[in-house]
Amino acid sequence: MQRLSGIHGLRAVAALSIVAFHVAYVPGFVTQPPILNQIIPQLGLGVPLFFVLSAFSLAYSHEKDVGKTGWVWPYLIKRLFRIGPLFWAMMVAYWYLGFPPLDSSGARLWLINATFIFNFFPGLHESGVAAGWSIGIEMPFYLLLPFILKRMRTPRHAVVFLAASVVVSAASRYWLMHQAGLPAGYYHMAFTSYLATFAFGLLAYQCFRAYETPRVLGIITIAWLALLPFRVVTASYTSFPDDIIFWSGFFGLLTLWQAARPLRWLASAPMQWLGERSFSIYLLHPLVIFMLIRHGVAAAIWQTLEPLIGSWAYMALAALAFAIVIPAAGLTYLLIEQPGQKLGSAIIAAIRSATYNNATHHLEARPNRARAATDAN
């Protein structure tokens, strides 16, 4: 299967954007350069971009298997061992380094986190791994995807699914936002609130699959123009949580564009390397930022540089975070992610071998049983 370099490059963009976002907001004392005031707050949108890319990539990778006998279990095993090993390793790291809530948690919290069901427990939905809340959304989607792909065979099917998903996501956000007794940010992190985000990725894939590149680019232009009135109208209703839906539509168009005609810099070797390691970058960076804060490094850099260059000291903190996170991500990819994926592949191969041997045994046994019956007669 052809590698889509633009999609891999967008993964790198999403991961690096989230790192820059958290450097600005996690320490609590960092201010942003005025020229970046409208940019840095939007960098957190790297998470829904990841969701769109995930839906597109999984549909691209597995659509050829849909309908084949026994394809679902290998798919699920592959997903588990793509995400699980690094997430579980990070759980141990947070516990060992004494970060709450895993530093003093009981078996229940460990079980909820290790099985990726924490999104359905308001109050625990952010997980014991910083930034891990998104994994609690990804994993339920992985479970649903085989059923979705089996019924989604054309762009028209994808449009119908998107329309239903937009209704569900908008209603979910609005209802959870006004629900008493729930944690304040739960509406923003609930699985149902992001169903439309994944649906935009699936629609992007169906358009990519069905249409030639020139027509794809026309679809992108028309769809983007159609999104703008939606944004203008809903922007006047401050209680309507449309932002993620709007941006998800934009990211769907961006994904379709980069799948059909990738930009050269996104397809470059460094961006491909970063995209391959984007999951490690995503899970590692909060721990790096926490350690810089815990040991006073972030505060020392800020107190030294802020009097000299003002809020541009943020750039020094961001550069330090990147300088640590990127090499560390290379190591965790090599030592944890790749072995985990190989283990998943080995399990799939073992299951297939056992299934094949069992089927062969039954086929060989049939003539023997028939011969024995003939001899008996």
Side-chain angles (χ1 to χ4, degrees):
M1 179 171 292
Q2 181 183 356
R3 180 188 180 95
L4 299 179
S5 57
I7 301 302
H8 250 53
L10 284 176
R11 283 199 184 97
V13 170
L16 298 177
S17 297
I18 295 166
V19 177
F21 175 82
H22 283 144
V23 170
Y25 291 105
V26 170
F29 51 78
V30 175
T31 57
Q32 306 156 27
I35 196 174
L36 300 178
N37 277 343
Q38 300 302 314
I39 297 175
I40 292 178
Q42 306 302 323
L43 297 181
L45 291 166
V47 172
L49 175 55
F50 264 132
F51 292 161
V52 171
L53 294 170
S54 180
F56 183 101
S57 300
L58 290 175
Y60 177 73
S61 301
H62 293 285
E63 203 223 14
K64 67 182 186 304
D65 299 323
V66 175
K68 293 182 179 178
T69 302
W71 78 275
V72 174
W73 280 110
Y75 154 78
L76 291 175
I77 292 170
K78 189 180 293 185
R79 287 293 89 205
L80 178 63
F81 283 90
R82 176 68 182 89
I83 299 297
L86 183 60
F87 187 86
W88 297 325
M90 293 303 296
M91 287 177 59
V92 174
Y94 275 87
W95 166 77
Y96 179 77
L97 294 170
F99 285 102
L102 293 173
D103 61 333
S104 58
S105 63
R108 176 175 176 268
L109 184 59
W110 277 82
L111 181 62
I112 287 173
N113 276 269
T115 55
F116 305 103
I117 59 174
F118 44 85
N119 187 261
F120 303 104
F121 292 81
L124 303 178
H125 60 282
E126 295 188 52
S127 91
V129 174
W133 67 273
S134 65
I135 310 303
I137 292 174
E138 287 267 15
M139 295 304 267
F141 173 71
Y142 293 161
L143 288 174
L144 288 177
L145 187 62
F147 303 99
I148 296 172
L149 291 182
K150 190 173 182 180
R151 292 158 180 80
M152 185 184 294
R153 310 304 295 170
T154 67
R156 182 177 297 179
H157 295 157
V159 168
V160 172
F161 179 71
L162 173 62
S165 299
V166 167
V167 172
V168 171
S169 292
S172 170
R173 285 179 167 271
Y174 188 85
W175 185 77
L176 293 172
M177 182 187 293
H178 297 88
Q179 199 68 12
L182 290 178
Y186 184 64
Y187 79 93
H188 180 65
M189 297 181 178
F191 168 69
T192 49
S193 297
Y194 284 95
L195 191 60
T197 303
F198 292 110
F200 276 112
L202 294 173
L203 175 58
Y205 170 70
Q206 288 297 332
C207 291
F208 173 75
R209 173 177 172 269
Y211 304 124
E212 297 296 326
T213 296
R215 195 173 176 190
V216 162
L217 298 178
I219 290 169
I220 292 169
T221 303
I222 294 170
W224 171 240
L225 293 174
L227 277 174
L228 292 179
F230 172 81
R231 176 63 172 171
V232 171
V233 171
T234 57
S236 60
Y237 296 93
T238 56
S239 63
F240 184 79
D242 74 299
D243 274 358
I244 296 298
I245 295 175
F246 170 81
W247 282 107
S248 297
F250 172 76
F251 292 146
L253 297 177
L254 178 64
T255 299
L256 178 56
W257 171 29
Q258 288 309 296
R261 187 169 292 176
L263 294 171
R264 184 175 299 178
W265 69 273
L266 276 180
S268 66
M271 294 300 286
Q272 299 303 292
W273 189 92
L274 291 168
E276 193 71 32
R277 291 149 185 82
S278 57
F279 184 49
S280 277
I281 293 172
Y282 178 75
L283 278 194
L284 278 177
H285 83 272
L287 184 59
V288 169
I289 296 173
F290 290 158
M291 295 301 287
L292 291 175
I293 296 170
R294 172 180 282 188
H295 295 289
V297 176
I301 291 174
W302 186 259
Q303 292 164 9
T304 300
L305 295 180
E306 196 274 337
L308 301 175
I309 58 175
S311 56
W312 286 100
Y314 158 80
M315 301 300 289
L317 285 176
L320 177 61
F322 284 127
I324 297 172
V325 169
I326 291 173
L331 284 175
T332 54
Y333 180 78
L334 179 66
L335 300 176
I336 300 175
E337 287 196 71
Q338 281 191 324
Q341 293 175 53
K342 289 178 181 178
L343 177 59
S345 297
I347 292 172
I348 292 169
I351 292 174
R352 285 175 173 165
S353 177
T355 303
Y356 174 79
N357 291 337
N358 189 44
T360 302
H361 174 74
H362 282 296
L363 287 173
E364 291 175 347
R366 285 178 184 174
N368 293 335
R369 286 196 295 268
R371 193 179 303 112
T374 302
D375 292 344
N377 291 334

